[in-house]
Amino acid sequence: MSSSQQPQTTAVVTGASRGFGLGIAAALIDRGHRVVGVARTAEALADLRRELGVAFIPVVADAADAETARILIEQYQPTLLVLNAGATPVTGTVHEQSWESFSRNWHVDTQHAFHWIRAALRQPLAPDSLVVAMSSGAALRGSPLSGGYAGAKAMIRFLASYAADESRRAALGIRFATVLPQLTPATELGAAGVAAYAQRQGIDIATFATALEPLLTPATVGAEIARLCQDTGNRDEHRVYELTGHGLHAMA
Protein backbone atom coordinates (compact mmCIF):
# COMPACT_ATOMS: atom_id res chain seq x y z
CA MET A 1 0.00 0.00 0.00
CA SER A 2 1.44 3.38 -0.94
CA SER A 3 2.04 6.02 1.72
CA SER A 4 -0.58 8.27 0.10
CA GLN A 5 -3.34 5.75 0.76
CA GLN A 6 -5.18 5.92 4.07
CA PRO A 7 -6.43 2.72 5.71
CA GLN A 8 -10.21 2.56 5.49
CA THR A 9 -10.92 0.58 8.66
CA THR A 10 -9.14 -0.89 11.63
CA ALA A 11 -8.99 -4.66 12.06
CA VAL A 12 -7.64 -6.69 14.95
CA VAL A 13 -6.14 -10.05 14.03
CA THR A 14 -5.15 -12.40 16.83
CA GLY A 15 -2.41 -14.95 16.25
CA ALA A 16 -1.08 -12.62 13.57
CA SER A 17 2.60 -13.56 13.66
CA ARG A 18 2.45 -16.81 11.66
CA GLY A 19 0.36 -19.14 9.55
CA PHE A 20 -3.19 -18.14 8.75
CA GLY A 21 -2.98 -15.03 10.93
CA LEU A 22 -0.02 -13.69 8.99
CA GLY A 23 -1.77 -14.36 5.69
CA ILE A 24 -4.92 -12.62 6.91
CA ALA A 25 -3.03 -9.58 8.19
CA ALA A 26 -1.15 -9.20 4.91
CA ALA A 27 -4.29 -9.53 2.79
CA LEU A 28 -6.24 -6.99 4.86
CA ILE A 29 -3.44 -4.44 4.67
CA ASP A 30 -3.20 -5.01 0.93
CA ARG A 31 -6.88 -4.05 0.73
CA GLY A 32 -6.46 -0.84 2.70
CA HIS A 33 -7.12 -1.85 6.29
CA ARG A 34 -5.05 -0.86 9.28
CA VAL A 35 -4.28 -4.08 11.17
CA VAL A 36 -3.56 -4.45 14.86
CA GLY A 37 -1.72 -7.77 15.03
CA VAL A 38 -1.73 -9.58 18.37
CA ALA A 39 0.71 -12.35 19.26
CA ARG A 40 3.06 -13.34 22.06
CA THR A 41 6.25 -13.39 19.98
CA ALA A 42 7.82 -9.93 19.78
CA GLU A 43 10.49 -10.85 17.24
CA ALA A 44 8.02 -12.33 14.76
CA LEU A 45 5.76 -9.29 15.09
CA ALA A 46 8.70 -6.95 14.55
CA ASP A 47 9.61 -8.84 11.37
CA LEU A 48 6.03 -8.53 10.18
CA ARG A 49 6.00 -4.81 10.88
CA ARG A 50 9.08 -4.39 8.69
CA GLU A 51 7.44 -6.45 5.96
CA LEU A 52 3.96 -4.88 6.02
CA GLY A 53 4.80 -1.31 6.98
CA VAL A 54 3.11 1.31 9.14
CA ALA A 55 -0.40 -0.04 8.52
CA PHE A 56 0.55 -2.99 10.73
CA ILE A 57 0.51 -2.27 14.46
CA PRO A 58 2.20 -5.04 16.44
CA VAL A 59 0.92 -5.77 19.93
CA VAL A 60 2.80 -8.29 22.06
CA ALA A 61 0.15 -9.77 24.34
CA ASP A 62 -1.66 -12.95 25.32
CA ALA A 63 -4.81 -13.03 23.18
CA ALA A 64 -6.42 -15.44 25.66
CA ASP A 65 -6.35 -12.79 28.39
CA ALA A 66 -9.64 -10.98 28.99
CA GLU A 67 -7.95 -7.64 29.60
CA THR A 68 -6.12 -7.85 26.26
CA ALA A 69 -9.44 -8.05 24.43
CA ARG A 70 -11.09 -5.29 26.45
CA ILE A 71 -8.18 -2.86 26.24
CA LEU A 72 -7.46 -3.29 22.53
CA ILE A 73 -11.10 -2.97 21.50
CA GLU A 74 -11.44 0.16 23.62
CA GLN A 75 -8.17 1.64 22.33
CA TYR A 76 -8.49 0.93 18.60
CA GLN A 77 -12.29 0.78 18.08
CA PRO A 78 -11.99 -1.88 15.35
CA THR A 79 -14.80 -2.65 12.96
CA LEU A 80 -13.33 -6.08 12.19
CA LEU A 81 -12.10 -8.78 14.57
CA VAL A 82 -10.46 -11.91 13.20
CA LEU A 83 -10.12 -14.37 16.07
CA ASN A 84 -7.41 -16.67 14.82
CA ALA A 85 -5.15 -17.31 17.83
CA GLY A 86 -4.74 -20.85 19.03
CA ALA A 87 -2.36 -23.43 20.44
CA THR A 88 -0.81 -26.29 18.53
CA PRO A 89 -2.56 -29.37 19.95
CA VAL A 90 -0.60 -32.14 21.61
CA THR A 91 -0.59 -35.11 19.26
CA GLY A 92 -1.67 -38.47 20.67
CA THR A 93 -4.60 -40.82 21.06
CA VAL A 94 -7.04 -40.26 23.91
CA HIS A 95 -5.35 -42.76 26.23
CA GLU A 96 -1.97 -41.14 25.57
CA GLN A 97 -3.23 -37.71 26.62
CA SER A 98 -3.27 -36.17 30.08
CA TRP A 99 -6.15 -33.90 31.01
CA GLU A 100 -3.75 -30.96 30.75
CA SER A 101 -2.78 -31.83 27.18
CA PHE A 102 -6.34 -32.82 26.21
CA SER A 103 -7.81 -29.50 27.39
CA ARG A 104 -5.04 -27.27 26.03
CA ASN A 105 -7.06 -25.86 23.16
CA TRP A 106 -10.01 -25.12 25.42
CA HIS A 107 -7.76 -22.94 27.56
CA VAL A 108 -6.27 -21.12 24.57
CA ASP A 109 -8.44 -21.25 21.45
CA THR A 110 -11.87 -21.31 23.09
CA GLN A 111 -11.00 -19.04 26.00
CA HIS A 112 -9.56 -16.46 23.62
CA ALA A 113 -12.70 -16.52 21.43
CA PHE A 114 -14.90 -16.21 24.52
CA HIS A 115 -13.09 -13.14 25.86
CA TRP A 116 -13.02 -11.31 22.52
CA ILE A 117 -16.64 -12.09 21.65
CA ARG A 118 -17.73 -11.05 25.13
CA ALA A 119 -15.79 -7.78 24.83
CA ALA A 120 -17.26 -7.13 21.37
CA LEU A 121 -20.76 -7.34 22.82
CA ARG A 122 -20.04 -5.42 26.01
CA GLN A 123 -18.16 -2.44 24.50
CA PRO A 124 -19.94 -2.86 22.02
CA LEU A 125 -18.44 -2.79 18.53
CA ALA A 126 -20.03 -0.32 16.14
CA PRO A 127 -23.06 -1.40 14.07
CA ASP A 128 -22.05 -3.30 10.89
CA SER A 129 -18.80 -4.47 12.52
CA LEU A 130 -17.81 -8.05 11.75
CA VAL A 131 -16.37 -10.71 14.04
CA VAL A 132 -14.75 -13.63 12.21
CA ALA A 133 -14.16 -16.64 14.45
CA MET A 134 -11.63 -19.08 13.02
CA SER A 135 -12.69 -22.61 13.94
CA SER A 136 -11.56 -25.79 12.15
CA GLY A 137 -12.84 -28.52 9.86
CA ALA A 138 -12.10 -30.80 12.80
CA ALA A 139 -15.19 -29.32 14.45
CA LEU A 140 -17.26 -31.16 11.84
CA ARG A 141 -15.36 -34.43 11.55
CA GLY A 142 -13.49 -34.86 14.82
CA SER A 143 -9.75 -35.21 15.35
CA PRO A 144 -8.86 -38.32 17.38
CA LEU A 145 -5.14 -37.54 17.47
CA SER A 146 -5.40 -34.01 18.90
CA GLY A 147 -7.11 -34.38 22.27
CA GLY A 148 -9.90 -31.88 22.85
CA TYR A 149 -9.03 -29.78 19.79
CA ALA A 150 -12.16 -30.65 17.77
CA GLY A 151 -14.48 -29.93 20.68
CA ALA A 152 -12.73 -26.65 21.46
CA LYS A 153 -13.12 -25.55 17.85
CA ALA A 154 -16.78 -26.63 17.74
CA MET A 155 -17.46 -24.48 20.81
CA ILE A 156 -16.05 -21.45 18.98
CA ARG A 157 -18.78 -21.91 16.38
CA PHE A 158 -21.41 -22.09 19.12
CA LEU A 159 -20.01 -18.97 20.78
CA ALA A 160 -20.33 -16.98 17.56
CA SER A 161 -23.89 -18.21 17.12
CA TYR A 162 -24.82 -17.28 20.70
CA ALA A 163 -23.26 -13.85 20.22
CA ALA A 164 -25.23 -13.20 17.04
CA ASP A 165 -28.42 -13.95 18.96
CA GLU A 166 -27.44 -11.50 21.71
CA SER A 167 -26.53 -8.84 19.16
CA ARG A 168 -29.97 -9.26 17.65
CA ARG A 169 -31.71 -9.09 21.03
CA ALA A 170 -29.87 -5.87 21.92
CA ALA A 171 -30.12 -4.38 18.40
CA LEU A 172 -26.33 -3.96 18.22
CA GLY A 173 -26.03 -4.65 14.50
CA ILE A 174 -22.83 -6.73 14.82
CA ARG A 175 -22.24 -9.48 12.27
CA PHE A 176 -20.60 -12.81 13.08
CA ALA A 177 -19.01 -15.42 10.85
CA THR A 178 -17.38 -18.75 11.70
CA VAL A 179 -14.80 -20.14 9.29
CA LEU A 180 -13.77 -23.80 9.36
CA PRO A 181 -10.47 -24.28 7.50
CA GLN A 182 -9.44 -27.63 6.08
CA LEU A 183 -6.37 -29.43 7.43
CA THR A 184 -3.26 -28.39 5.52
CA PRO A 185 0.48 -29.05 5.74
CA ALA A 186 1.12 -25.41 4.79
CA THR A 187 1.18 -24.25 8.43
CA GLU A 188 3.18 -25.45 11.42
CA LEU A 189 0.03 -26.63 13.20
CA GLY A 190 -1.35 -28.37 10.13
CA ALA A 191 1.95 -30.01 9.22
CA ALA A 192 2.06 -31.69 12.63
CA GLY A 193 -1.47 -33.01 12.15
CA VAL A 194 -0.79 -34.24 8.62
CA ALA A 195 2.33 -36.07 9.78
CA ALA A 196 0.46 -37.74 12.65
CA TYR A 197 -2.44 -38.92 10.51
CA ALA A 198 -0.15 -40.11 7.72
CA GLN A 199 1.75 -42.21 10.24
CA ARG A 200 -1.50 -43.57 11.69
CA GLN A 201 -2.57 -44.69 8.20
CA GLY A 202 0.85 -46.13 7.42
CA ILE A 203 1.45 -43.88 4.42
CA ASP A 204 3.95 -41.13 3.70
CA ILE A 205 3.11 -37.47 4.19
CA ALA A 206 3.07 -36.65 0.48
CA THR A 207 0.53 -39.39 -0.22
CA PHE A 208 -1.70 -38.26 2.64
CA ALA A 209 -1.50 -34.62 1.51
CA THR A 210 -2.60 -35.57 -2.02
CA ALA A 211 -6.11 -36.14 -0.69
CA LEU A 212 -6.15 -32.55 0.58
CA GLU A 213 -5.34 -30.91 -2.75
CA PRO A 214 -5.61 -28.18 -3.71
CA LEU A 215 -3.82 -27.37 -0.49
CA LEU A 216 -5.09 -24.52 1.64
CA THR A 217 -2.35 -21.90 2.10
CA PRO A 218 -2.08 -18.82 4.33
CA ALA A 219 -2.30 -16.65 1.21
CA THR A 220 -5.58 -18.31 0.20
CA VAL A 221 -6.96 -17.92 3.71
CA GLY A 222 -6.00 -14.26 3.74
CA ALA A 223 -7.60 -13.57 0.38
CA GLU A 224 -10.82 -15.36 1.34
CA ILE A 225 -11.15 -13.64 4.72
CA ALA A 226 -10.53 -10.27 3.07
CA ARG A 227 -13.24 -11.08 0.53
CA LEU A 228 -15.61 -12.15 3.31
CA CYS A 229 -15.12 -8.78 4.99
CA GLN A 230 -16.40 -7.04 1.88
CA ASP A 231 -19.70 -8.95 2.06
CA THR A 232 -21.88 -6.67 4.15
CA GLY A 233 -24.57 -9.30 4.75
CA ASN A 234 -27.30 -8.68 7.29
CA ARG A 235 -26.82 -7.25 10.75
CA ASP A 236 -26.93 -9.58 13.76
CA GLU A 237 -26.59 -12.71 11.65
CA HIS A 238 -24.20 -15.63 11.99
CA ARG A 239 -22.79 -17.19 8.84
CA VAL A 240 -20.75 -20.39 8.75
CA TYR A 241 -18.24 -21.31 6.05
CA GLU A 242 -15.97 -24.22 5.25
CA LEU A 243 -12.65 -23.09 3.79
CA THR A 244 -10.64 -25.34 1.45
CA GLY A 245 -8.08 -24.74 -1.27
CA HIS A 246 -11.06 -23.98 -3.52
CA GLY A 247 -12.16 -21.10 -1.28
CA LEU A 248 -15.05 -20.37 1.07
CA HIS A 249 -18.23 -22.45 0.91
CA ALA A 250 -21.27 -21.30 2.87
CA MET A 251 -22.86 -24.01 5.01
CA ALA A 252 -26.61 -24.36 5.33
Side-chain angles (χ1 to χ4, degrees), residues 126-192:
D128 291 323
S129 294
L130 173 64
V131 178
V132 179
M134 299 297 288
S135 177
S136 169
L140 300 174
R141 292 173 282 276
S143 182
L145 293 184
S146 59
Y149 178 79
K153 291 299 191 180
M155 190 65 237
I156 289 173
R157 177 181 177 181
F158 285 126
L159 280 169
S161 176
Y162 300 162
D165 285 342
E166 295 309 313
S167 177
R168 185 180 306 110
R169 285 164 55 88
L172 299 179
I174 304 170
R175 297 175 292 129
F176 292 85
T178 299
V179 176
L180 298 91
Q182 175 182 274
L183 178 65
T184 175
T187 66
E188 180 181 341
L189 186 154

Side-chain angles (χ1 to χ4, degrees), residues 83-238:
L83 306 181
N84 171 75
T88 300
V90 176
T91 302
T93 58
V94 64
H95 62 290
E96 295 171 326
Q97 300 271 351
S98 66
W99 175 246
E100 288 71 24
S101 66
F102 186 89
S103 62
R104 182 181 186 186
N105 295 99
W106 286 87
H107 291 291
V108 179
D109 306 43
T110 312
Q111 182 175 199
H112 129 274
F114 170 81
H115 288 318
W116 284 89
I117 287 172
R118 179 175 182 267
L121 292 171
R122 289 173 68 92
Q123 288 284 345
L125 297 183
D128 291 323
S129 294
L130 173 64
V131 178
V132 179
M134 299 297 288
S135 177
S136 169
L140 300 174
R141 292 173 282 276
S143 182
L145 293 184
S146 59
Y149 178 79
K153 291 299 191 180
M155 190 65 237
I156 289 173
R157 177 181 177 181
F158 285 126
L159 280 169
S161 176
Y162 300 162
D165 285 342
E166 295 309 313
S167 177
R168 185 180 306 110
R169 285 164 55 88
L172 299 179
I174 304 170
R175 297 175 292 129
F176 292 85
T178 299
V179 176
L180 298 91
Q182 175 182 274
L183 178 65
T184 175
T187 66
E188 180 181 341
L189 186 154
V194 167
Y197 282 104
Q199 182 179 29
R200 184 180 177 90
Q201 293 183 18
I203 59 178
D204 60 65
I205 292 173
T207 300
F208 183 91
T210 299
L212 304 174
E213 293 180 347
L215 297 178
L216 185 61
T217 67
T220 300
V221 173
E224 290 298 297
I225 297 301
R227 184 170 66 85
L228 176 61
C229 296
Q230 296 173 343
D231 182 6
T232 56
N234 297 317
R235 289 182 174 185
D236 309 311
E237 73 172 354
H238 175 224

Side-chain angles (χ1 to χ4, degrees), residues 11-27:
V12 173
V13 178
T14 64
S17 64
R18 61 178 182 169
F20 291 164
L22 191 158
I24 293 166

